[in-house]
Amino acid sequence: MGALVKAEFRKIFTINLWWALLVPVVVLSFGAGWFGTYFGSLDQLRADLGTTLPVGLLTVSMSTNFSTLFAALFGAMAVAAEHRNRSITTTFLTGSPRGAVIGAKLIAYASVGLGYGVANFLFGSLGGLLGSGIDGFGDPLDWLAVGGAGLLAMVLWTVLGVGFGALVVNSVAAITSLLVYRFVIESILASVFVRAGLTSAGAYLPAAAGGGIVGNVAVPIFIQDLKQSTGRYVPPEASDALNVFTGGSVVHTWWVSLLIFTGYAAVFAAGGWLLSRQRDIT
Amino acid sequence: MHDGSGRIAVGGLSKSFGPINAVTDLSFTVEPGSVTGFLGPNGSGKTTTLRMLLGLITPSSGAAVINGVPFAQLSNPATVVGAVLESQGFHPGRTARNHLRSYGAAMNVPDERADQVLELVGLSGAATRRTGGFSLGMHQRLALATALLGDPQVLILDEPSNGLDPEGIAWLRGFLRSFAATGRTVLISSHLLREMEHTVDRVVIISRGRCVYDGDLEQLRSAQRSRVLVEASDPGKLVESLRQAGMDAHYLQDGRLAVPDTDSRTVADLALQAGIALYGMQDERIDLEQLFFQLTSGQYTGGQYAQGGADPRWAAPGAGRQDQQGGNSGFGGGF
């Protein structure tokens, strides 16, 4: 198993994909951290209130929920790209049983996904530091909590991606459907649920649950700080408004979102694993 | 664990893709120390069979084993069997050396092995080049290098000469012979018998997913038929004397006589006795390729191969068509 994991790491780092997807993660997290805290509406809010608020936590949450998309795309290529260039034949001829090969891919890709998460957290924080200074992060423990939740989210999205790619196999279809689902289909589904009167059902959808892992850590901390530092009543609508940017929802606490999304990731990973074991490679 | 024999055994193997029966009840064995050719026209089920043998395709029924166990039960498969399959891919952005080091890591061989196999297949100069810029022949060489990484006991190649230049084919031929000479096993598929004639010791010939011949190449060769083409002053009289001598003859379109299963000496003696002048004679043997066409004809609507690929004279009414039918039912009858 160790040999197979080592082989997967070598495959990852001998082509360009890993850094081609890392670049947008770094740029987005840094940009969101800097511009989001310095120029954005959050800065306006801070000026109006005349007090410092942990806005850096919100921007880290926001960039995490952008970056998870790249982690998922990266994961999706683990198996799908091998089918595309037909190297999956060699992979299964040199590693046996197939279940171990997919397992090795899950481990290697999840590790790199974790690396994406670290990059996102570091560059997002660096951007936030430049934009709003050290005050923008509040309590260091809160900062670490948001960062840790972000790492979890990145790893789980990568695992979901690996499973999804192994199920779909066609790399173009895998990437397209991930993007279309994330940007179009889930919002349509969510609005359908709302019209049907199931207002909280949308929070159970994959992207909402995945976004909630970090969003539902960052937003409650922020609201709490806001209440304490201003002493004013903060309407629940404020959380909803923040959730639009940071991901997550008021329906669940962060760990419920984590459980739901872990379920999705597990279902896709198990499905991709099972199918890969049986699929004919013609 | 496997038995280390180097023997491949296929028993009652069948595979259907929906309504199409790609392989039907196929059985054969491949022994170590020899090169076995796996022959059949395109679409006859060769690739499907090899992929079932390598655990890439699950058979509908039957089993294929290497060293006594199915591929999936080999613990480090690449150290037992190496394979070069058609349409085997490489990531175009990865260099040849990195490709080999990646797969070498999976089979736990040292990194130096990558450069050794590159040298072996003559690709040392391209080690740091990305495979996206490789020619078809270089891809084949790299695929072979990958197959050899684990120093396997069994080598399986599917149409390896596709894309190789004549020099490359000659090199491959020598390589496979010396590989088998060390007591290891080589199974190599092709749709051209002529190409394999000087490489293989044994052949397994399949047509429409069924085995039509399994045995020594020498045996197949000795079963070749010969005939004599004669231009005589009085063909009618010659036919008569041939019949009296218990021989058969028929006319060709150009007016010559074709006398099967004999040689020019016998015919010349007969003609001399009968007082017939001969203006020309020609000994002819059906070569292996034509035998192969006859064995595998009927893969697609009958007669296609005999007319298209073989010497047209052999496709003339008479011997040719008879042989085609005989060939389909098994090797023994028609010859």
Side-chain angles (χ1 to χ4, degrees):
Chain A
M1 195 65 189
L4 292 176
V5 175
K6 185 179 172 191
E8 290 305 325
F9 272 121
R10 285 192 173 180
K11 285 188 207 166
I12 290 171
F13 291 119
T14 51
I15 55 171
N16 298 332
L17 183 72
W18 72 273
W19 65 258
L21 288 173
L22 180 61
V23 168
V25 169
V26 168
V27 171
L28 275 173
S29 58
F30 184 77
W34 191 13
F35 293 109
T37 54
Y38 190 70
F39 297 107
S41 51
L42 293 170
D43 191 57
Q44 194 58 46
L45 185 71
R46 184 179 54 190
D48 288 350
L49 292 169
T51 176
T52 56
L53 287 169
V55 287
L57 300 184
L58 296 182
T59 58
V60 166
S61 173
M62 184 170 81
S63 74
T64 304
N65 285 326
F66 269 115
S67 299
T68 49
L69 180 65
F70 295 99
L73 292 178
F74 174 69
M77 296 308 280
V79 178
E82 287 228 45
H83 277 273
R84 183 177 175 79
N85 61 42
R86 309 196 62 95
S87 58
I88 192 75
T89 297
T90 314
T91 298
F92 285 155
L93 286 178
T94 53
S96 186
R98 289 189 193 182
V101 174
I102 303 297
K105 278 189 185 291
L106 282 167
I107 292 170
Y109 277 77
S111 309
V112 177
L114 183 69
Y116 280 21
V118 171
N120 167 69
F121 185 39
L122 287 181
F123 283 92
S125 302
L126 191 66
L129 204 61
L130 286 175
S132 63
I134 194 75
D135 297 334
F137 293 97
D139 189 338
L141 281 177
D142 293 342
W143 176 67
L144 285 176
V146 170
L151 295 187
L152 270 177
M154 292 290 257
V155 168
L156 287 171
W157 273 100
T158 315
V159 167
L160 181 136
V162 174
F164 185 73
L167 276 172
V168 177
V169 169
N170 182 322
S171 55
V172 176
I175 288 174
T176 315
S177 44
L178 271 175
L179 289 171
V180 170
Y181 179 80
R182 184 93 180 248
F183 289 119
V184 183
I185 296 179
E186 178 151 326
S187 20
I188 293 174
L189 282 176
S191 60
V192 168
F193 284 148
V194 170
R195 280 206 193 150
L198 304 160
T199 41
S200 60
Y204 289 89
L205 292 170
I213 297 173
V214 57
N216 293 347
V217 174
V219 173
I221 292 174
F222 183 82
I223 297 289
Q224 192 61 37
D225 270 27
L226 188 63
K227 281 180 185 162
Q228 277 174 3
S229 58
T230 60
R232 278 188 254 172
Y233 169 74
V234 181
E237 289 76 20
S239 293
D240 281 334
L242 288 174
N243 278 325
V244 171
F245 299 102
T246 59
S249 67
V250 286
V251 178
H252 294 135
T253 53
W254 72 275
W255 61 268
V256 175
S257 297
L258 176 65
L259 278 181
I260 296 168
F261 191 75
T262 305
Y264 280 113
V267 164
F268 278 105
W273 187 79
L274 284 173
L275 214 67
S276 290
R277 282 182 1 137
Q278 290 161 11
R279 194 189 299 274
D280 281 350
I281 312 293
T282 52
Chain B
M1 270 312 281
H2 62 89
D3 61 15
S5 63
R7 187 174 288 109
I8 297 172
V10 170
L13 205 60
S14 299
K15 177 70 181 181
S16 46
F17 295 103
I20 298 153
N21 293 321
V23 175
T24 312
D25 196 23
L26 188 63
S27 300
F28 63 88
T29 57
V30 178
E31 298 296 328
S34 66
V35 180
T36 301
F38 187 43
L39 296 157
N42 288 328
S44 58
K46 298 187 301 292
T47 299
T48 305
T49 305
L50 295 184
R51 284 184 173 258
M52 284 194 279
L53 188 52
L54 293 164
L56 295 167
I57 294 178
T58 312
S60 303
S61 64
V65 295
I66 299 170
N67 283 4
V69 295
F71 182 89
Q73 284 171 31
L74 296 169
S75 57
N76 191 353
T79 58
V80 175
V81 54
V84 178
L85 298 180
E86 257 189 310
S87 71
Q88 192 168 17
F90 309 96
H91 191 289
R94 196 175 284 130
T95 66
R97 181 183 281 138
N98 282 335
H99 163 84
L100 292 168
R101 286 192 177 171
S102 298
Y103 286 106
M107 42 183 113
N108 248 330
V109 299
D111 284 350
E112 300 85 71
R113 183 74 188 146
D115 289 330
Q116 284 170 16
V117 290
L118 278 174
E119 173 123 33
L120 199 59
V121 301
L123 276 183
S124 292
T128 54
R129 278 176 58 189
R130 293 179 178 190
T131 62
F134 276 21
S135 68
L136 196 55
M138 290 168 87
H139 273 133
Q140 287 287 37
R141 285 170 188 263
L142 184 56
L144 181 62
T146 314
L148 295 171
L149 262 180
D151 195 21
Q153 188 183 7
V154 178
L155 200 51
I156 294 176
L157 305 99
D158 192 11
E159 303 274 359
S161 49
N162 278 355
L164 283 183
D165 49 26
E167 193 195 354
I169 292 174
W171 169 82
L172 181 67
R173 184 173 292 156
F175 176 82
L176 295 178
R177 294 236 50 105
S178 60
F179 186 88
T182 61
R184 290 185 278 189
T185 314
V186 179
L187 177 63
I188 175 173
S189 88
S190 175
H191 61 283
L192 293 170
L193 177 58
R194 191 177 292 137
E195 191 179 87
M196 314 267 287
E197 217 179 316
H198 307 291
T199 316
V200 303
D201 311 294
R202 286 184 71 256
V203 284
V204 174
I205 302 178
I206 66 167
S207 175
R208 293 187 190 181
R210 292 170 187 275
C211 184
V212 291
Y213 180 76
D214 176 5
D216 281 354
L217 186 64
E218 276 315 308
Q219 241 168 14
L220 189 63
R221 226 180 234 134
S222 63
Q224 286 174 52
R225 286 174 43 159
S226 58
R227 66 176 187 176
V228 182
L229 304 179
V230 199
E231 202 179 343
S233 59
D234 187 349
K237 198 170 166 190
L238 182 60
V239 169
E240 205 163 297
S241 23
L242 284 166
R243 291 228 164 106
Q244 276 166 9
M247 277 181 268
D248 197 14
H250 59 262
Y251 289 96
L252 297 179
Q253 278 160 343
D254 61 5
R256 287 191 296 175
L257 273 175
V259 191
D261 299 324
T262 184
D263 56 46
S264 51
R265 233 186 145 94
T266 320
V267 176
D269 285 347
L270 266 170
L272 185 65
Q273 281 166 23
I276 304 162
L278 297 183
Y279 305 133
M281 288 183 85
Q282 192 187 342
D283 273 307
E284 218 182 52
R285 284 171 77 82
I286 309 185
D287 69 14
L288 274 180
E289 194 67 20
Q290 284 167 329
L291 264 183
F292 174 57
F293 285 147
Q294 286 165 4
L295 281 170
T296 58
S297 69
Q299 163 88 41
Y300 308 105
T301 56
Q304 208 176 344
Y305 272 114
Q307 279 160 20
D311 184 337
R313 281 168 301 186
W314 285 95
R321 206 160 276 175
Q322 229 169 5
D323 287 349
Q324 281 169 29
Q325 282 154 8
N328 254 347
S329 58
F331 179 68
F335 297 82

